[in-house]
Amino acid sequence: MWRTLRGASFFLLISFGCLELVAPVAAQTPVKVWQDTIELPTYELGEPNENPPFDQFVANDRYNYPYTVLDNLTGKSAPRKWRALNLENEYLKCVVLPDLGGHLYRCQDKRNGADMFYANPSLKFARISYRGAWAAYGIEFNFPVSHNWMTASPVDFATSTAADGSATVWVRNIDRPYGMEWCVELTLRPGRAVLEQKTTLYNPGRARHRFYWWTNAGVQVWDDTQIYYPTQYTIFHGFTDLDTWPVDRNGTDLSVVGNHKYGPVSRFSYGSNEPWMAVYHPKTNAGLVHYSTRTNLPSKKFWSWGSDPDGLKWREALSDNHSAYVEVQAGLYRDQETYGFLGPQQKIRFVEDWMPVQEIGGVTRANPDAAVNVLKKGTKVEVTLNVFRELPKAKLELRAGDDVLAPGRLVATENVSLSPKSTYRKELGSVPEGEPYTITLTDESGNVVLAHTEGKYDYTPKSEVPKELPPNYVYPPLEKRTESDFLQLGDDQERNGLVLDALATYRDGLKRFEGSVGLHKAAGRLGVALKQYEPAIADLSMVLVRVSNDQEASYYLGLAYAATDKLEKAQRAFEMSEQFGTYRAASLYELAALDARKGELAKAHEKLLMAYTEFPDAARVADTDVALLRMLGDTVRAKTHLTSLRETDPANSFLRYEATRLGGSDPALWEHLAGDPSRILEIAAQYMHFGLYGEAAELLAAKYPSDSAGVVSDPGMPRPGDDPMIAYYRGYCRDIAKQDGGADFAAAAKMPTMYIFPNRPESFDVLKRAVAVNPKDANAYALLGDLYMSGGMEEAAMKEWSAARAIDPKLPALLRNMGYTSLYLKQPPERAIEYFTDGVKYDTQNAENYLGLERALKEAGRPAQEQAAALQKFPGAHPPAVLVFQLARDLAEAGQYDAAVKELADHFVSMEEGGASRLTVYLEIRLTEAKALAAHKKCSDAKRIVEHLGDAVPPLSLTAEEMAQGLESKRVKGEIAEIGKACGK
């Protein structure tokens, strides 16, 4: 009951932007919150991949543009100081690392010194995350994708205290691909052994985007660690492989970590509504509980690398002490292949709690107030309790033959005062065999704190659980698809990030169902998101001819009109979509922007006020009104409004900047903005959207403390003064504001473009203005080509890149982009060979020029030796893993097998989850050799190679156990069978 009321009050308080109300308590020591540093051995990240990761070139379904890829990992470790945000109350001391994705690094139970989470003593990166670099420790926040883009990067952060004595660490981020926000509040309260986690997900942008959320907590484990996962069934990824828990179909008890001997364990709960799960360690007599209701995070997942040879290799790859950990995860959807859409101005909130347990032996049931372990030995019932807040004059009852809803025979009752400071343990009484017990803990007012009836959990009845899961729908061939097939397939592709494939699917559907309203709307909506505005206008206009009051089509049509400077048409479209319903808040925001661009700030303010009064979740709408009130000269109302907004979003960079415009001082803000120019552009774009070009220009012209020790950035991140997009935007804003932007455009044209990947819609106008000002600006042409390419407009991109090439072919990644695009467009490989050959000449350190040349040579039918020679020309001392592996394969194809193995041995190669490894490539080499021998009927030599494939390979640090595991691969077994067949066996 208390938890339900507490959850309700949380959602109420956020809606009205006020502090949570809690019952009066005796005076307690306020929670401490402060910032300092923590020193950790950290493996260095090399410079990022200089090449823009366009969707068209992605092979692993990880879409990163406009982020750099952090795949240049090193084997070098050195002590490094990281900024740390600390929370501490009587029971817990927690550390958050804002420069590593805002992860919670550790949370220590002060009563016994145990770490609730995996406090990895070193930060050792492997290629696991979306962008590559990922380290195992603490709690990771995954939105809108898994191991998200900022998991190893600095994020926004703040700390706060409240009148009730609580303190909070806030971490948040606005991602670049979708422009969506996540914000996590980590709170400790006086007198409570609970870490509260409150999360807000928000789409402040103009188009819908895919998303999911998974909280991922690493917990250090030992072989005797027990997983308390209250479910009878689990499923695997992709809603497949229904199995039993804790003992699976093979008879393995997966709740014991030491039994994970047969590869990774990755299981999602199925058919359970229980809100809790726990991990307990007999070795330390401690553990943790996670709690989140079905109305918050309904899905639970448990992950383990396992302790087979591959799992042991991952322990070595991710830690210096080879420690083991498992992951306790909670999410919004049933598995991690399921995504939803978050529409413009939509927001989601949820809460979850983490509690430490100690000296309890295990967990039978838990909530944010208490955890109980009940042991029934014969007829005797022993109860062990941890409580997470003071419970004076509590009562513990044991009943027999009943349940919570129908109290039965009272066996024992005990009046007791309970505290988080100690563990309660007592044999309460006896319950006859065959009769279930019920344990009930109530507080001094008689409210139920925790209750449990033996064997009773909130499960789907076994009779309702299918024997097997339904198969995934298989789409028929193109020519047999229905209109519904095209719509659903495109939707599936959008949800999985395959936006270019989705648009192609909708276009294919329209070839067969030309008049389909659904397909035109889907294509138009996605076209707007991809910045393909003219085709989108055609699609959405057709929808409105057929369905004149389709508000979604009208809203997206308004966006397309606004982006193409058809402002009167945009206004008419938004006026229809703002009438009522899903798009009203977003449409009012856009109408306000149109008013503001005409200089009618008062009218714009009235629309914004109407929107965020009616839709308090529309935070971007409310934020923008601070600037309008300030520009209208109403500084009193602007300051009052700003203060209210910052109470619930103190890490918001736009609000922090507005505070400085209203006379406040915030030196740390300037360091924070200096660490990532995209933060500056995010604020500037918000001003530009409302026609406040002078405000944007002033921000873009500010002097940032780039050399300050407080400036923390990703590897390779340019400083604001060296970022050409900052200069281009500044010149554009000055031009529009009737100032002189010529010097800014000239400066931008001379700046390096390494790691500069434009993607904002505003960048089209900015870069087109730059080209108009200076037709010889190679930078502007190249970046404009990148922008077109990011929206799936390959031909337009090639046109701009060709213009850039004619002026300066030495621009970073330019010829690489042209070469790969040529291959993508299925142009003759000789054309790509030309681009890559020039790329090798002008951009010599770019490994992808060599890889692209190798691929083009392969497509042109050139011999393997020539392909290998192209890769061998790479001059860098530390070639990326993909080049090392491909060169080894090519050498093997050319018959140089020992040279291929030596290539693997001579270079450091970081591990990649789901990718190639030294083991897999070594087996490829030896199998290629054996197949060649078999083809020449040298079967005894081929047999000898196959027979020794299981031997250890010391030069590659591959053990016999690892080799044996590699031989279990279906592909390897198939190739061995082919070799035997070739030799007549």
Side-chain angles (χ1 to χ4, degrees):
M1 178 68 71
W2 181 86
R3 177 60 184 169
T4 301
L5 292 174
R6 178 169 169 264
S9 68
F10 168 68
F11 287 102
L12 184 65
L13 75 91
I14 289 294
S15 295
F16 289 93
C18 58
L19 296 175
E20 180 174 6
L21 299 177
V22 295
V25 295
Q28 294 174 311
T29 303
V31 178
K32 294 189 291 184
V33 60
W34 72 99
Q35 178 179 333
D36 58 15
T37 61
I38 181 173
E39 185 172 278
L40 294 169
T42 302
Y43 282 75
E44 297 175 12
L45 296 180
E47 290 298 296
N49 192 319
E50 70 180 84
N51 299 288
F54 297 119
D55 287 10
Q56 293 90 334
F57 309 153
V58 169
N60 62 0
D61 294 337
R62 293 184 174 180
Y63 301 97
N64 288 302
Y65 192 91
Y67 285 109
T68 55
V69 174
L70 303 175
D71 57 358
N72 184 14
L73 310 188
T74 76
K76 301 175 183 177
S77 174
R80 176 171 173 178
K81 289 185 177 180
W82 295 92
R83 291 186 293 186
L85 308 175
N86 302 272
L87 277 173
E88 183 176 5
N89 70 0
E90 303 95 311
Y91 304 112
L92 300 175
K93 182 179 180 182
C94 306
V95 179
V96 176
L97 302 180
D99 300 322
L100 288 165
H103 288 210
L104 183 138
Y105 171 64
R106 75 186 311 174
C107 200
Q108 193 172 44
D109 186 342
K110 294 167 63 175
R111 299 167 298 182
N112 58 9
D115 272 301
M116 293 170 63
F117 306 102
Y118 182 36
N120 195 336
S122 59
L123 296 179
K124 196 171 187 180
F125 298 100
R127 288 177 291 149
I128 290 176
S129 79
Y130 246 62
R131 294 173 66 192
W134 186 86
Y137 57 92
I139 304 180
E140 176 189 31
F141 311 118
N142 293 285
F143 171 83
V145 293
S146 63
H147 302 312
N148 76 78
W149 299 295
M150 299 298 286
T151 191
S153 301
V155 298
D156 303 333
F157 65 92
T159 62
S160 66
T161 57
D164 64 358
S166 65
T168 298
V169 167
W170 306 70
V171 287
R172 74 192 291 276
N173 185 63
I174 301 175
D175 71 67
R176 293 188 211 167
Y178 302 149
M180 297 202 296
E181 297 180 11
W182 59 266
C183 178
V184 170
E185 306 165 49
L186 297 167
T187 301
L188 292 182
R189 300 187 184 279
R192 289 186 58 81
V194 179
L195 174 65
E196 299 177 12
Q197 179 179 329
K198 302 174 183 176
T199 302
T200 302
L201 311 178
Y202 173 50
N203 181 1
R206 297 163 208 166
R208 76 172 193 178
H209 293 289
R210 69 165 183 149
F211 81 102
Y212 73 17
W213 172 274
W214 284 87
T215 301
N216 177 17
V219 181
Q220 186 169 1
V221 294
W222 296 267
D223 281 351
D224 61 353
T225 294
Q226 189 83 27
I227 309 301
Y228 292 90
Y229 200 14
T231 186
Q232 295 175 296
Y233 299 95
T234 62
I235 59 170
F236 188 61
H237 290 266
F239 199 61
T240 60
D241 188 34
L242 179 65
D243 204 349
T244 51
W245 180 275
V247 179
D248 68 9
R249 66 171 66 92
N250 298 316
T252 302
D253 184 354
L254 294 176
S255 69
V256 180
V257 169
N259 292 337
H260 302 167
K261 300 176 181 178
Y262 311 105
V265 178
S266 186
R267 308 300 302 182
F268 299 86
S269 62
Y270 179 84
S272 172
N273 296 317
E274 288 292 335
W276 65 277
M277 60 189 300
V279 179
Y280 198 82
H281 319 291
K283 178 182 176 70
T284 61
N285 208 7
L288 69 75
V289 172
H290 174 265
Y291 185 93
S292 190
T293 67
R294 283 192 62 78
T295 55
N296 285 283
L297 293 177
S299 294
K300 310 291 190 286
K301 179 193 173 186
F302 166 71
W303 159 266
S304 166
W305 286 108
S307 56
D308 65 339
D310 189 58
L312 296 177
K313 199 76 172 178
W314 276 108
R315 292 185 190 181
E316 180 182 351
L318 291 169
S319 66
D320 282 338
N321 62 2
H322 298 188
S323 49
Y325 72 95
V326 299
E327 293 173 1
V328 175
Q329 302 186 20
L332 289 168
Y333 301 133
R334 69 185 184 184
D335 59 26
Q336 288 168 340
E337 288 68 41
T338 301
Y339 289 81
F341 290 111
L342 201 58
Q345 302 306 328
Q346 287 186 340
K347 183 177 286 186
I348 298 174
R349 301 183 187 84
F350 44 86
V351 299
E352 49 195 311
D353 294 298
W354 305 90
M355 291 76 67
V357 288
Q358 61 166 345
E359 300 176 357
I360 195 174
V363 182
T364 302
R365 182 171 291 281
N367 65 25
D369 290 319
V372 64
N373 187 35
V374 185
L375 296 178
K376 191 174 182 183
K377 303 175 181 178
T379 62
K380 295 180 179 179
V381 178
E382 180 182 275
V383 175
T384 309
L385 268 171
N386 281 171
V387 296
F388 308 124
R389 61 184 173 97
E390 296 290 335
L391 288 173
K393 301 178 184 178
K395 180 186 289 187
L396 191 61
E397 287 187 349
L398 171 65
R399 294 179 179 270
D402 60 4
D403 59 37
V404 178
L405 298 178
R409 186 175 73 261
L410 182 64
V411 174
T413 184
E414 170 123 349
N415 294 319
V416 60
S417 290
L418 301 172
S419 170
K421 297 174 183 176
S422 59
T423 298
Y424 171 90
R425 180 180 292 105
K426 188 169 185 179
E427 185 180 292
L428 281 185
S430 296
V431 172
E433 291 187 16
E435 291 190 44
Y437 65 77
T438 294
I439 297 291
T440 305
L441 175 66
T442 55
D443 64 17
E444 60 182 319
S445 300
N447 299 313
V448 174
V449 175
L450 182 71
H452 178 70
T453 297
E454 183 180 7
K456 287 210 169 184
Y457 293 96
D458 190 359
Y459 296 150
T460 299
K462 287 187 176 182
S463 61
E464 298 179 15
V465 174
K467 292 183 179 180
E468 58 183 32
L469 298 172
N472 291 327
Y473 180 72
V474 177
Y475 291 98
L478 183 69
E479 67 276 5
K480 294 184 179 180
R481 287 177 192 162
T482 65
E483 178 185 359
S484 176
D485 283 332
F486 285 110
L487 278 168
Q488 190 58 51
L489 175 58
D491 185 81
D492 288 347
Q493 290 167 329
E494 283 195 68
R495 290 174 189 269
N496 286 286
L498 304 165
V499 289
L500 300 182
D501 290 347
L503 188 59
T505 295
Y506 297 141
R507 294 284 175 229
D508 285 341
L510 285 167
K511 291 174 185 176
R512 294 192 56 209
F513 303 96
E514 184 177 356
S516 169
V517 170
L519 286 169
H520 275 293
K521 182 160 72 171
R525 179 182 57 218
L526 183 53
V528 170
L530 288 169
K531 303 179 284 290
Q532 297 186 21
Y533 299 117
E534 293 296 348
I537 288 172
D539 283 310
L540 297 166
S541 296
M542 182 275 174
V543 173
L544 290 167
V545 168
R546 295 275 301 278
V547 186
S548 62
N549 63 344
D550 189 313
Q551 292 178 314
E552 182 179 25
S554 187
Y555 169 73
Y556 280 96
L557 181 59
L559 294 178
Y561 279 143
T564 52
D565 209 32
K566 301 178 178 72
L567 301 187
E568 288 189 12
K569 290 184 176 182
Q571 181 167 334
R572 299 294 173 262
F574 290 134
E575 285 172 346
M576 200 280 278
S577 58
E578 69 87 19
Q579 292 174 359
F580 64 92
T582 303
Y583 295 93
R584 177 166 163 75
S587 298
L588 285 169
Y589 180 75
E590 297 300 333
L591 285 168
L594 293 176
D595 286 339
R597 282 184 233 176
K598 292 183 288 188
E600 298 175 349
L601 298 187
K603 288 177 65 176
H605 158 68
E606 291 301 324
K607 287 186 174 67
L608 293 183
L609 179 62
M610 183 189 305
Y612 65 78
T613 300
E614 188 174 343
F615 301 97
D617 280 350
R620 174 66 62 88
V621 180
D623 295 351
T624 304
D625 201 30
V626 176
L628 293 193
L629 287 169
R630 175 174 59 81
M631 296 298 292
L632 287 166
D634 196 343
T635 56
V636 173
R637 287 179 65 194
K639 288 181 178 180
T640 301
H641 187 43
L642 174 66
T643 300
S644 174
L645 293 172
R646 293 197 68 190
E647 285 179 357
T648 55
D649 197 4
N652 183 318
S653 293
F654 179 84
L655 295 179
R656 291 176 67 184
Y657 180 70
E658 272 297 312
T660 68
R661 302 295 285 165
L662 287 165
S665 176
D666 190 351
L669 169 66
W670 302 103
E671 293 179 331
H672 186 62
L673 295 179
D676 186 347
S678 72
R679 296 173 185 146
I680 301 170
L681 291 175
E682 180 71 28
I683 300 172
Q686 198 164 339
Y687 287 134
M688 291 165 65
H689 192 56
F690 276 71
L692 304 178
Y693 294 102
E695 293 292 305
E698 189 168 347
L699 169 71
L700 294 160
K703 301 298 181 184
Y704 293 91
S706 298
D707 297 327
S708 169
V711 177
V712 183
S713 302
D714 265 352
M717 182 73 70
R719 293 294 184 244
D722 301 320
D723 188 315
M725 292 306 294
I726 294 286
Y728 280 130
Y729 268 70
R730 185 171 63 242
Y732 176 82
C733 289
R734 282 177 167 165
D735 265 13
I736 300 296
K738 307 300 182 185
Q739 303 171 19
D740 184 5
D744 302 303
F745 285 122
K750 298 176 182 178
M751 291 179 181
T753 58
M754 185 84 79
Y755 311 128
I756 305 299
F757 307 150
N759 78 311
R760 300 174 188 277
E762 298 85 0
S763 295
F764 273 119
D765 288 342
V766 170
L767 293 171
K768 287 177 180 178
R769 176 65 66 93
V771 168
V773 169
N774 179 9
K776 295 295 184 181
D777 184 350
N779 279 359
Y781 284 115
L783 295 173
L784 189 55
D786 291 355
L787 190 59
Y788 277 119
M789 189 69 176
S790 72
M793 294 168 276
E794 296 86 11
E795 297 288 355
M798 288 292 277
K799 179 181 176 182
E800 302 299 335
W801 287 333
S802 295
R805 182 190 185 195
I807 301 167
D808 185 1
K810 299 186 294 299
L811 289 177
L814 174 63
L815 289 155
R816 170 266 188 190
N817 294 343
M818 298 183 76
Y820 276 105
T821 303
S822 177
L823 292 174
Y824 178 81
L825 293 173
K826 306 297 184 185
Q827 295 176 348
E830 287 73 21
R831 186 170 298 177
I833 290 172
E834 175 197 335
Y835 292 134
F836 288 126
T837 300
D838 276 0
V840 167
K841 175 182 176 182
Y842 293 116
D843 193 8
T844 59
Q845 295 297 318
N846 189 339
E848 289 197 18
N849 280 320
Y850 301 85
L851 284 161
L853 179 58
E854 186 269 352
R855 178 179 157 188
L857 292 168
K858 191 185 299 291
E859 292 196 13
R862 306 287 181 86
Q865 183 60 58
E866 188 175 349
Q867 298 167 37
L871 296 178
Q872 287 173 322
K873 292 177 181 177
F874 178 68
H878 304 289
V882 63
L883 190 149
V884 172
F885 290 160
Q886 192 55 50
L887 176 54
R889 294 186 185 102
D890 287 344
L891 288 169
E893 288 292 334
Q896 301 181 42
Y897 308 111
D898 291 341
V901 174
K902 187 175 185 300
E903 193 66 33
L904 296 181
D906 285 350
H907 299 287
F908 169 79
V909 177
S910 58
M911 288 188 69
E912 179 181 19
E913 185 180 23
S917 66
R918 274 197 175 102
L919 169 62
T920 59
V921 177
Y922 174 79
L923 288 172
E924 287 182 54
I925 294 168
R926 289 307 179 208
L927 288 169
T928 298
E929 182 179 10
K931 283 189 287 186
L933 290 167
H936 289 85
K937 299 304 178 183
K938 297 182 179 181
C939 291
S940 59
D941 291 337
K943 179 182 178 182
R944 174 181 51 79
I945 290 174
V946 170
E947 287 177 345
H948 287 278
L949 283 177
D951 294 353
V953 188
L956 302 184
S957 301
L958 295 173
T959 66
E961 291 78 11
E962 289 175 272
M963 298 304 300
Q965 187 175 32
L967 292 176
E968 292 301 310
S969 159
K970 183 178 179 180
R971 180 189 60 80
V972 171
K973 288 182 176 180
E975 293 196 24
I976 291 174
E978 287 180 20
I979 294 167
K981 185 177 180 181
C983 287
K985 297 180 182 179

